[in-house]
Amino acid sequence: MRGNPSRLLVGVALLALVLTSCGGSAYSFQGGELKPVAPASPIALTDQHGNPWSLADQQGKIVFLYFGYTTCPDACPTTLSDWIEVRRLLGDKADKTEFVMVTVDPERDTAEKLNKYLGFFDPIFVGLTGDAETIKQLERNYGIVAQREEHPESATGYLMNHTTSFWVIDSKGNLRLTFAHGTDPEIVAEDVKHLN
Amino acid sequence: MNAMNRRGFLAMAVGSVALISGARTISAHGGDGTPMAGGMHGAMPGGTPGAMPMGGAAGAFMTITNGGSVDDRLIAVSTDVAQVSEIHEMKNVNGVMMMSPLPDGLAIPAGQSVELKPGGYHVMLIGLKHDLNPGEHYELKVTFEHAGEITLDVPIFATKNTFADADKLEPVMVGDLKIEGVWTRMAPALLDASATPVTLDPSATPAH
């Protein structure tokens, strides 16, 4: 469409003003929405290929963030297979997303193990590991509870009790939404479609 | 303090309270090498505390109905697809997933149905020997205190929803117990090509 760019801009601005003042087309997020909008805490860890990964490098992409571990037989596979569905529902928008699992069990979850684990669900998923102190700090920053519980009577040796909800960070790096474990992928996808 | 920090702090505070109030004391012992009642297949692998068998983990789910007048208990589980099988309970307390082994097994009271399902009780397969892929099956032997043992055919599904939509296998009976809706979610074995599989102490294997 050719035309005077500034006129087009004014037209768009007026339309936006009308829409927001009427409130008619404002979308109501179904997930937990964080207000006011604030930047997500920095993340700098190692991905499942052994390469450095930082949240700052993901500007322009919507980042899904979950804290789990590979010995988890139930909660984590549920979230990861839900994410496969969310990704599918997002269609083209999936190209602008990153799905990231940070391990709460860096002692056992090496980059190689994360690679095998996440690759089983979808090789496009990112797995992050690092030193225990950095991860502990990250858990605090993101309000994640993750506690090791010793179980010498079990072959697992120890298990991790951990928060199972996940965060969504928008393409500008702001922490925007949180979803409870088991939220219908349709709901997640619908919300994320209204995020930039 | 911006909204994110405030919310994060709140989540952590709530979660911490949940952990403290939900703490469980595990009092079972298996140190003398004899098999523990409650689902341990073979002895604990030797090695450093915190070490676990090579391989990933998976959960098996089912519904067990006790149509008899005697309380029963699921006391042991075993399978060839994993190195160790145990019975576990999962609880989601204020958004924190807490899992604990049930060394005494799982009670199946007379006249009641007990469901092993995601987010609740499950059989935990530890140290998978190969990937569990959707569409495949494996065998799981379950042993009850009174009803005895039976080998179940366990189909593998991608998700709880694909299981829910699928045709179900016929229920199986063992004594007064009916077992139905048996399934497992897909899971990776996470095997390291160079790893030596842990060998269990044969003297501790329960007699079958």
Side-chain angles (χ1 to χ4, degrees):
Chain A
M1 170 173 40
R2 291 194 180 282
N4 185 332
S6 61
R7 195 174 290 175
L8 180 64
L9 214 55
V10 167
V12 168
L14 270 174
L15 185 64
L17 190 63
V18 166
L19 284 176
T20 49
S21 58
C22 288
S25 68
Y27 177 75
S28 234
F29 287 108
Q30 299 175 76
E33 192 187 354
L34 277 86
K35 287 178 187 166
V37 171
S41 274
I43 304 173
L45 289 169
T46 305
D47 74 12
Q48 70 264 45
H49 307 295
N51 299 323
W53 189 98
S54 93
L55 183 62
D57 292 339
Q58 312 309 314
Q59 296 262 341
K61 285 198 167 170
I62 291 171
V63 177
F64 291 70
L65 184 67
Y66 174 73
F67 289 77
Y69 68 121
T70 68
T71 310
C72 173
D74 187 3
C76 307
T78 297
T79 296
L80 293 173
S81 45
D82 282 350
W83 277 3
I84 291 172
E85 184 62 8
V86 170
R87 211 168 166 272
R88 188 189 70 79
L89 290 166
L90 286 174
D92 289 340
K93 191 152 184 171
D95 293 339
K96 292 206 162 66
T97 60
E98 285 282 11
F99 289 81
V100 179
M101 181 177 102
V102 176
T103 182
V104 298
D105 187 10
E107 185 176 322
R108 286 193 297 223
D109 288 348
T110 57
E112 192 190 343
K113 201 164 189 186
L114 282 172
N115 191 24
K116 289 201 182 93
Y117 185 73
L118 290 165
F120 182 79
F121 293 95
D122 192 330
I124 210 158
F125 291 165
V126 173
L128 299 179
T129 187
D131 69 275
E133 200 37 58
T134 304
I135 289 182
K136 254 290 148 256
Q137 186 56 53
L138 209 57
E139 287 161 6
R140 275 181 229 122
N141 291 349
Y142 281 92
I144 298 291
V145 171
Q147 195 168 65
R148 173 172 164 152
E149 198 173 274
E150 301 301 318
H151 285 290
E153 78 288 10
S154 163
T156 57
Y158 66 87
L159 295 164
M160 299 300 297
N161 296 327
H162 65 98
T163 304
T164 49
S165 45
F166 63 90
W167 296 108
V168 179
I169 299 164
D170 71 19
S171 60
K172 297 182 207 64
N174 294 318
L175 194 65
R176 298 296 305 281
L177 300 172
T178 181
F179 291 97
H181 178 69
T183 302
D184 193 327
E186 301 235 4
I187 291 176
V188 177
E190 191 56 32
D191 272 6
V192 172
K193 278 182 186 161
H194 289 86
L195 211 57
N196 284 313
Chain B
M1 188 188 278
N2 66 24
M4 189 269 290
N5 284 344
R6 202 177 321 128
R7 190 188 182 95
F9 181 80
L10 185 64
M12 203 176 79
V14 166
S16 303
V17 168
L19 268 177
I20 291 162
S21 60
R24 295 170 61 96
T25 311
I26 306 297
S27 55
H29 303 284
D32 59 355
T34 52
M36 289 170 50
M40 293 292 295
H41 174 65
M44 281 284 300
T48 50
M52 68 165 264
M54 293 307 297
F61 313 103
M62 65 194 76
T63 302
I64 305 168
T65 305
N66 187 347
S69 53
V70 177
D71 292 342
D72 208 335
R73 183 169 282 273
L74 175 64
I75 55 171
V77 285
S78 72
T79 177
D80 287 338
V81 305
Q83 297 193 40
V84 181
S85 308
E86 297 174 358
I87 303 161
H88 281 232
E89 180 180 14
M90 191 102 93
K91 272 194 283 215
N92 195 325
V93 183
N94 290 331
V96 179
M97 194 64 82
M98 301 178 64
M99 197 161 82
S100 34
L102 298 178
D104 295 331
L106 181 60
I108 317 287
Q112 288 187 35
S113 252
V114 177
E115 220 183 329
L116 285 76
K117 62 179 184 210
Y121 301 115
H122 59 274
V123 172
M124 185 171 177
L125 308 182
I126 302 162
L128 290 174
K129 296 179 184 174
H130 58 78
D131 288 351
L132 300 184
N133 296 305
E136 295 176 352
H137 290 239
Y138 68 93
E139 289 189 336
L140 178 73
K141 183 157 71 181
V142 293
T143 305
F144 298 91
E145 194 174 0
H146 297 292
E149 66 182 36
I150 188 163
T151 299
L152 303 171
D153 174 28
V154 187
I156 300 165
F157 291 92
T159 65
K160 185 169 67 175
N161 288 342
T162 52
F163 158 68
D165 290 342
D167 294 331
K168 304 292 177 291
L169 300 174
E170 285 297 308
V172 295
M173 296 296 303
V174 53
D176 289 325
L177 305 180
K178 178 171 72 173
I179 305 173
E180 59 197 322
V182 184
W183 71 288
T184 283
R185 196 196 286 102
M186 61 192 261
L190 304 181
L191 293 174
D192 183 359
S194 60
T196 311
V198 173
T199 45
L200 301 175
D201 178 359
S203 67
T205 305
H208 295 299

